[in-house]
Amino acid sequence: MDSFSNTDVDFIERFLCAFKTLGGNEQGFIDYEHFKQLLQQNHSADAKDILDLIKAENHVKNDKLNFVSLCSSVLSVKAVFNSALENGKAIIHNPRIDTRTFTRNKGSARISNSQNDKTAADLPSERGISKYLKGMLFNVNGDLFSYRYQLELLENSVVEIFATAISSKGELEAAVPIEILVFQDGKNKIFITSSTLKNNDGYCSLKFNFKKGKYILIPILLKWNVMGKSNSFDSLNLESLIHVEEESNITLTPACENALRIIFDCIDLDENGLLNQSEFDYFIRHTSGETAAEEWTTIEDNFKMENHQLTFDGFLELYKMVLQTDPSDVMNMLQQMGMNESLELENAMPFRLVVKSTGAKLNIHPLPVSPFREVSDKVLRKLAVEQGVSRKVKNMNDLFLFNHRLAHRATLVIQNQSHSRIMLKLDCNKSINCESHRGSLDFSVEVLPRTSIIGHHLFPVDNTQEWMVECTESFN
């Protein structure tokens, strides 16, 4: 396969993305039984012919399917794959593809927003299992945090995972692109997969054939419209939170009680209207850095409980007491939970995590709130370098720009292979219908020697319209 037609290149691009989404490794191989199972689930009518072709042409060795050799053969029968490969098709202009390393070089892409382009294939139609848990993402003075989750699968299964943002009115927000990173739950926390597609409802989704075991799920939000806003509480005082009535009776202001109701609902992860010990402990860990395990017995003895869980009335009484003894602690809690001076949830995003299995039994448990920027930057840099379209910057042999395009996001990564520090300006103002997580489409980055750095995460301003990324680089 020394040369390709434009049609063949477009097919290979989509096949390659699907191959990696289904679990293919970086050397171009996929577990044959895994591939066969997915093929039979989604294209049972054509599966025998395809498997016969694979067998006849010796594409399987040591129980591994060789993608590179298969790709050459499958071009002649690619029609049977089309419905399975629609996963964010890009129109490629004059690309060159190295199938040995899966690197796509010297290409530009225009992102199409047709219905087929933005949706993932449906799960198999058999009855499955769905589980839900609530969560929160936080942006506290630019530091990004989220709840994490442990997923345990009791058998091998195709699983879909996505998160639905929840607006201040309690409505689901498909326009907010919450992504999920998945790692093996073990000593090394090996990265497995992430949300690269959009499902039929418009949510960032991943669909993967997981093996039996435990996994860590990390929800991330890169498109923070509040990025750069201050979490200052200078204008918020104690009188905004409590009223002191005759005979020193203390009551919460309506604004304070409403803020506490919002927070209570956000940290009620199983949405049963009560806070269990783990939910309350995760909340205290995030807002104070301390554990509440030792105080739980005191809370049980002094505040309204139901089935050994804290009620909302008990939660209000607890914070009424704290406001009288240590109001600064409540101010800090409100700030850490993403409230602004007007006691509105401005710097946090509630969401509902959805896990769907084709039938395998599964368990999912929330884990404490943790920062995610460092781990997400590392993973997304790696994915951009491995899967993105690359080109030299200013024809330099040791400076590259990688453009990793998904249906909902494009990530630009600068890789500096030289031994010198470089200051590079990335001007994306000529892009169409785009906004950057930087807050500006024109941004300068410092790239240290032998490192890579994210320049922009770019998103469509209007999800219903086409969007195009164009970047001009210059040295500062």
Side-chain angles (χ1 to χ4, degrees):
M1 294 176 63
D2 296 327
S3 63
F4 310 102
S5 69
N6 287 339
T7 302
D8 289 344
V9 166
D10 182 57
F11 166 74
I12 296 168
E13 287 281 333
R14 291 183 288 121
F15 195 111
L16 173 58
C17 184
F19 170 78
K20 290 188 174 182
T21 301
L22 294 176
N25 65 25
E26 298 172 13
Q27 287 73 45
F29 293 93
I30 189 170
D31 182 84
Y32 179 64
E33 291 299 320
H34 174 181
F35 178 86
K36 184 165 66 174
Q37 178 185 357
L38 292 177
L39 186 65
Q40 291 170 337
Q41 286 175 341
N42 291 281
H43 294 279
S44 57
D46 302 305
K48 185 178 184 302
D49 290 339
I50 297 170
L51 295 174
D52 286 344
L53 172 67
I54 290 171
K55 183 178 179 180
E57 299 196 6
N58 297 318
H59 296 306
V60 179
K61 293 183 180 180
N62 299 323
D63 298 321
K64 298 292 182 182
L65 174 62
N66 185 328
F67 165 75
V68 176
S69 65
L70 172 63
C71 191
S72 177
S73 296
V74 82
L75 284 171
S76 62
V77 290
K78 63 187 179 184
V80 298
F81 285 85
N82 284 345
S83 62
L85 299 176
E86 292 298 333
N87 52 20
K89 180 173 63 175
I91 302 171
I92 308 297
H93 303 282
N94 300 320
R96 299 176 184 176
I97 302 177
D98 183 351
T99 55
R100 294 169 298 177
T101 61
F102 296 164
T103 301
R104 290 167 282 177
N105 296 318
K106 297 184 179 179
S108 61
R110 186 173 183 180
I111 307 300
S112 170
N113 276 337
S114 70
Q115 183 64 30
N116 285 339
D117 290 339
K118 70 177 184 178
T119 61
D122 290 336
L123 279 168
S125 58
E126 61 190 85
R127 181 175 297 178
I129 296 172
S130 298
K131 293 204 174 183
Y132 309 86
L133 274 177
K134 206 167 186 178
M136 289 281 285
L137 295 138
F138 303 94
N139 179 2
V140 182
N141 292 324
D143 293 329
L144 305 180
F145 304 84
S146 71
Y147 280 92
R148 299 186 180 193
Y149 302 85
Q150 183 193 68
L151 170 65
E152 181 182 16
L153 290 168
L154 304 183
E155 54 189 302
N156 297 349
S157 177
V158 175
V159 177
E160 182 183 15
I161 306 172
F162 59 94
T164 63
I166 303 173
S167 72
S168 58
K169 297 180 181 180
E171 300 171 346
L172 301 182
E173 292 275 5
V176 179
I178 298 175
E179 303 178 45
I180 309 293
L181 306 179
V182 182
F183 300 81
Q184 272 188 349
D185 188 6
K187 182 178 180 181
N188 296 323
K189 297 291 189 293
I190 298 171
F191 174 69
I192 302 297
T193 187
S194 63
S195 306
T196 58
L197 311 177
K198 279 193 173 184
N199 64 17
N200 290 329
D201 295 317
Y203 300 111
C204 297
S205 174
L206 67 91
K207 193 178 301 179
F208 195 79
N209 193 338
F210 287 91
K211 294 183 178 180
K212 174 183 176 181
K214 294 182 180 180
Y215 301 87
I216 299 297
L217 312 182
I218 304 179
I220 64 172
L221 178 58
L222 306 174
K223 185 182 179 181
W224 279 101
N225 294 327
V226 297
M227 185 68 74
K229 288 190 177 181
S230 171
N231 290 76
S232 170
F233 272 56
D234 293 341
S235 68
L236 188 67
N237 53 40
L238 189 59
E239 287 72 28
S240 305
L241 302 174
I242 60 174
H243 290 310
V244 180
E245 301 175 342
E246 294 181 4
E247 300 180 356
S248 298
N249 288 330
I250 302 296
T251 60
L252 301 176
T253 65
C256 179
E257 184 169 334
N258 181 63
L260 290 173
R261 163 56 76 181
I262 292 172
I263 291 170
F264 184 91
D265 289 343
C266 288
I267 63 179
D268 176 18
L269 302 182
D270 59 12
E271 300 186 85
N272 70 344
L274 303 166
L275 296 184
N276 60 42
Q277 184 175 353
S278 293
E279 291 169 338
F280 187 77
D281 185 55
Y282 295 161
F283 161 64
I284 296 299
R285 286 194 201 187
H286 171 60
T287 56
S288 71
E290 300 176 356
T291 178
E294 295 181 0
E295 287 77 18
W296 185 252
T297 300
T298 302
I299 291 173
E300 285 186 305
D301 291 341
N302 293 278
F303 300 99
K304 187 175 180 181
M305 307 289 287
E306 185 178 316
N307 297 324
H308 303 287
Q309 299 179 82
L310 183 63
T311 66
F312 176 61
D313 288 341
F315 188 72
L316 287 182
E317 287 300 316
L318 170 63
Y319 273 94
K320 185 189 296 186
M321 183 192 74
V322 177
L323 277 166
Q324 295 177 72
T325 58
D326 191 0
S328 63
D329 186 59
V330 179
M331 297 284 193
N332 177 72
M333 181 273 288
L334 293 170
Q335 188 175 24
Q336 295 299 317
M337 288 300 296
M339 290 283 174
N340 61 18
E341 292 179 325
S342 301
L343 296 181
E344 299 168 333
L345 196 65
E346 181 179 58
N347 299 303
M349 174 59 67
F351 64 86
R352 183 172 291 112
L353 181 71
V354 182
V355 180
K356 295 184 176 182
S357 165
T358 55
K361 293 181 179 179
L362 61 90
N363 297 310
I364 184 163
H365 305 285
L367 300 173
V369 175
S370 301
F372 67 77
R373 171 173 279 170
E374 182 177 352
V375 65
S376 66
D377 278 5
K378 182 178 179 180
V379 167
L380 298 182
R381 285 197 310 268
K382 184 174 186 292
L383 290 176
V385 170
E386 291 178 352
Q387 300 179 11
V389 177
S390 68
R391 61 180 172 84
K392 295 178 182 179
V393 175
K394 299 296 184 182
N395 291 320
M396 296 180 63
N397 291 325
D398 49 15
L399 188 63
F400 297 89
L401 175 68
F402 293 86
N403 183 353
H404 187 209
R405 303 169 306 279
L406 302 174
H408 63 280
R409 163 177 59 83
T411 293
L412 303 184
V413 168
I414 297 295
Q415 185 182 74
N416 179 12
Q417 298 181 1
S418 74
H419 295 281
S420 303
R421 178 183 65 90
I422 293 173
M423 286 293 297
L424 194 66
K425 180 179 180 181
L426 301 176
D427 184 356
C428 297
N429 279 305
K430 292 183 179 180
S431 300
I432 297 174
N433 187 30
C434 284
E435 60 184 343
S436 172
H437 85 296
R438 298 290 189 182
S440 171
L441 291 171
D442 190 354
F443 192 79
S444 295
V445 292
E446 179 182 21
V447 194
L448 298 177
R450 317 296 291 181
T451 63
S452 300
I453 190 169
I454 292 173
H456 289 282
H457 294 301
L458 297 161
F459 303 88
V461 177
D462 184 346
N463 287 298
T464 66
Q465 301 295 320
E466 288 190 358
W467 58 294
M468 183 179 71
V469 174
E470 185 171 343
C471 182
T472 302
E473 308 87 49
S474 58
F475 295 108
N476 283 353

